[in-house]
Amino acid sequence: LVLFSLFIAVTLVQIIYYLFIFRPVANFTPPVKEVSQTQPVSVVICARDEDENLARNLPGVLVQHYPTTHEIIVVNDNSYDDSKYVLEELKKTFKKLSVIELAQEAKGIRGKKFPLSIGIKEAKHEVVLLTDADCTPATEHWMDRMQSAFTPGVEVVLGYGAYHKLPGMLNKIIRWETFHTAMQYFGFALAGMPYMGVGRNLSYRKDVFYRNKGFSNIKNIPSGDDDLFINKVAHKKNTAVVIDPEAFTLSAPKKTWEEWKRQKSRHFTTAKHYKFSHRFLLGLYSLTHFLFYVLAVLSILFYDWRLALIPLAAGLIVKAAVLKKAMRKLDEGDLWKWFPLLDIWMCFYYVIFAPALLKKPRTHWK
């Protein structure tokens, strides 16, 4: 009876998250703008030893259809490969491309924060749009759709960084985890509690960067130039989201389980630095998500399986309905038929990556 009571409580918590945090993502419609305005944009990309990615992905940024003044800045951070020559060739064709060559490491500033700070400092325009060298815009309207969310008072805009759809279960798991994370940071932002963004698709004003002294308070943490910075500066009134397939970016997913595990472990090392309220709400969601399936099995085995099926069915029906619409919004609809397996997989995901919260992060971003 105790197990069954806990199962009901956990199910109610999960349903609350899905109805009040995640359903707004599924039902999202862009706010109607009284005045349509395009403004100058500076795209900033940091790259280290990314010659192949730059040759493959940068043209997608350079050919954006954007009627207003804009520039693309690539900060080539101490690369030893042919990045310099790739960028020199691209500059011959694309006059809006500016390249900053860094030849020395910054002392006391870990990760990508120093090259990114240099890129933002050199940006000519107030609106800065960020992506990575291994990303390419999903469409030629990415820049326009992302900047369209900057209305009076908005300083931070969160976008979606998706992964290419490829065969295999690993690809589905990577895309599911990416979608699941996006559903959380979009949902919390729409609920007035923004806590992170992803550097693959993120925009903010230079003023908010300088007003908060850039990355000064997180300079000793290798990661966090996207999520920890947004965790610090974003709030209910200054943050907007863009959920539009034309505003997505696409990246090549990792090809092996080990590569993906290293990538996710590195990302988890920053979560412990979030504000307490965010850690609590995210932790409560993850804990109840894990316990939902564990307590379902225990209630079926040790209580009355017929009664146990009631909260299990209720939780799964609510999840399925919200996830189906949210996946359509984020162009991940092909994952819906896999949702029960992928949702159960998250129980193992939490066990695998929870130790990363306690690990010491790497000192270099590449």
Side-chain angles (χ1 to χ4, degrees):
L1 181 59
V2 171
L3 288 171
F4 182 63
S5 299
L6 284 173
F7 181 36
I8 292 175
V10 163
T11 302
L12 288 174
V13 172
Q14 281 283 288
I15 288 175
I16 289 171
Y17 272 95
Y18 270 81
L19 292 182
F20 295 99
I21 302 295
F22 303 147
R23 190 161 63 103
V25 179
N27 296 332
F28 179 79
T29 54
V32 178
K33 297 177 66 175
E34 296 180 2
V35 180
S36 180
Q37 179 184 3
T38 55
Q39 48 204 321
V41 174
S42 295
V43 177
V44 179
I45 301 170
C46 296
R48 173 176 285 190
D49 295 330
E50 297 272 16
D51 54 359
E52 293 185 5
N53 281 327
L54 288 169
R56 183 185 304 113
N57 299 318
L58 190 54
V61 179
L62 295 167
V63 299
Q64 288 291 296
H65 288 170
Y66 194 65
T68 304
T69 303
H70 62 281
E71 63 176 346
I72 291 85
I73 300 172
V74 176
V75 184
N76 189 20
D77 182 23
N78 293 276
S79 294
Y80 288 97
D81 63 2
D82 292 331
S83 294
K84 178 179 179 180
Y85 306 107
V86 170
L87 292 169
E88 286 177 352
E89 287 300 311
L90 288 170
K91 280 186 68 175
K92 294 176 182 178
T93 305
F94 300 99
K95 304 306 179 185
K96 293 186 181 296
L97 174 61
S98 299
V99 178
I100 301 171
E101 294 283 348
L102 299 183
Q104 290 184 331
E105 297 282 355
K107 295 182 179 179
I109 305 178
R110 296 183 176 183
K112 192 169 64 173
K113 299 178 191 67
F114 178 70
L116 183 53
S117 298
I118 294 297
I120 293 172
K121 179 182 177 182
E122 294 298 319
K124 298 175 182 177
H125 309 305
E126 174 65 13
V127 172
V128 176
L129 178 56
L130 308 179
T131 189
D132 290 336
D134 62 351
C135 301
T136 191
T139 73
E140 295 174 337
H141 305 289
W142 165 66
M143 192 183 303
D144 180 63
R145 298 296 187 269
M146 285 297 291
Q147 72 83 35
S148 68
F150 281 101
T151 55
V154 172
E155 299 178 311
V156 177
V157 175
L158 310 179
Y160 183 48
Y163 284 98
H164 290 290
K165 298 175 183 178
L166 301 174
M169 200 63 202
L170 176 60
N171 179 261
K172 292 179 176 61
I173 287 174
I174 291 173
R175 288 169 47 224
W176 162 264
E177 189 277 331
T178 302
F179 158 79
H180 191 256
T181 300
M183 194 171 62
Q184 292 176 71
Y185 69 74
F186 280 142
F188 276 83
L190 292 171
M193 299 176 288
Y195 73 92
M196 70 163 281
V198 292
R200 300 190 303 277
N201 199 2
L202 176 65
S203 187
Y204 45 78
R205 296 186 184 273
K206 285 182 68 174
D207 179 66
V208 76
F209 182 79
Y210 286 120
R211 201 170 67 241
N212 289 275
K213 299 180 180 179
F215 304 124
S216 59
N217 69 323
I218 56 173
K219 64 181 181 180
N220 294 321
I221 304 170
S223 301
D225 52 272
D226 47 9
D227 59 343
L228 290 185
F229 179 72
I230 297 304
N231 195 260
K232 174 186 175 182
V233 307
H235 54 77
K236 179 180 180 179
K237 294 182 179 180
N238 78 339
T239 305
V241 306
V242 176
I243 303 177
D244 181 343
E246 291 198 324
F248 297 166
T249 60
L250 295 170
S251 305
K254 298 299 183 184
K255 296 180 180 180
T256 68
W257 290 91
E258 190 58 35
E259 287 179 337
W260 180 64
K261 184 179 177 182
R262 283 199 301 269
Q263 180 189 47
K264 295 311 303 178
S265 296
R266 186 170 69 252
H267 292 168
F268 264 80
T269 60
T270 61
K272 59 187 175 185
H273 299 287
Y274 290 175
K275 294 174 184 175
F276 174 78
S277 58
H278 298 148
R279 296 201 310 271
F280 174 79
L281 290 170
L282 292 168
L284 179 63
Y285 170 72
S286 299
L287 178 62
T288 54
H289 189 181
F290 174 79
L291 291 176
F292 175 74
Y293 290 105
V294 173
L295 291 173
V297 172
L298 294 176
S299 296
I300 289 171
L301 293 176
F302 298 109
Y303 191 59
D304 187 324
W305 67 269
R306 291 163 296 185
L307 290 177
L309 290 179
I310 296 174
L312 177 62
L316 289 176
I317 289 171
V318 170
K319 286 188 174 191
V322 173
L323 287 171
K324 188 171 186 177
K325 291 187 69 176
M327 286 177 176
R328 286 177 179 171
K329 287 285 181 181
L330 295 173
D331 196 27
E332 304 287 7
D334 63 301
L335 294 177
W336 188 77
K337 63 184 178 183
W338 296 90
F339 126 74
L341 287 176
L342 293 170
D343 204 48
I344 292 171
W345 149 255
M346 292 303 293
C347 295
F348 300 95
Y349 174 86
Y350 296 133
V351 172
I352 293 169
F353 291 105
L357 294 169
L358 305 176
K359 286 184 178 179
K360 184 177 180 180
R362 290 170 51 185
T363 58
H364 299 288
W365 70 283
K366 285 282 287 181

